[in-house]
Amino acid sequence: QVQLKESGGGSVQAGESLRLSCEVSGYTVNTYCLAWFRQFPGKEREGIASIAGYGTVTYNAFAKGRFTISQDNAKNSLYLQIDSLKPEDTGMYYCAARKSTGGACGGGISPRAFGYWGQGTQVTVSS
């Protein structure tokens, strides 16, 4: 059973950076696609970025430039670096996993494709 646990959220000022972490357990490296999502109140979750088991990264268009996804397979961890935070980045951030052949992610980052989720970590950015 794959389990994910996010950490690293918090309250920051606009312009600051945060590094979110996701501890992933119960999976075999290179058999799952991992991704980060965020959700604003009253809105559906939106994909930020995904990373395949072999390292290929895909970003949603809005995330290019300020968001960086990475993974450390030795630590079974997934990360999301967010730079130059803006008040509109305020929301709940989730990591997710889906089983796939060779850990491939494909081109999309749809929340409907992911079956394993963490509980989320809150990011609040004040101006």
Side-chain angles (χ1 to χ4, degrees):
Q1 179 72 15
V2 176
Q3 294 183 317
L4 304 100
K5 184 177 182 180
E6 304 92 338
S7 61
S11 296
V12 297
Q13 296 288 320
E16 294 182 343
S17 298
L18 276 176
R19 188 192 194 205
L20 308 183
S21 298
C22 174
E23 181 181 340
V24 189
S25 60
Y27 85 119
T28 302
V29 173
N30 293 334
T31 61
Y32 284 83
C33 165
L34 304 177
W36 283 99
F37 294 82
R38 67 181 183 181
Q39 188 170 22
F40 305 128
K43 302 290 186 180
E44 290 189 357
R45 290 180 189 181
E46 64 175 355
I48 300 172
S50 66
I51 186 165
Y54 44 83
T56 300
V57 172
T58 300
Y59 291 97
N60 200 332
F62 76 85
K64 293 180 181 179
R66 295 193 301 120
F67 296 78
T68 304
I69 188 172
S70 62
Q71 63 183 357
D72 185 333
N73 290 334
K75 296 182 179 180
N76 286 346
S77 292
L78 178 72
Y79 305 101
L80 183 70
Q81 176 76 28
I82 314 173
D83 297 318
S84 303
L85 278 155
K86 305 175 182 180
E88 51 265 40
D89 292 320
T90 295
M92 190 69 78
Y93 285 70
Y94 299 89
C95 58
R98 65 177 178 88
K99 192 171 177 59
S100 66
T101 301
C105 288
I109 318 173
S110 170
R112 297 175 185 81
F114 288 78
Y116 302 95
W117 294 87
Q119 83 288 351
T121 186
Q122 176 69 35
V123 172
T124 302
V125 186
S126 56
S127 58

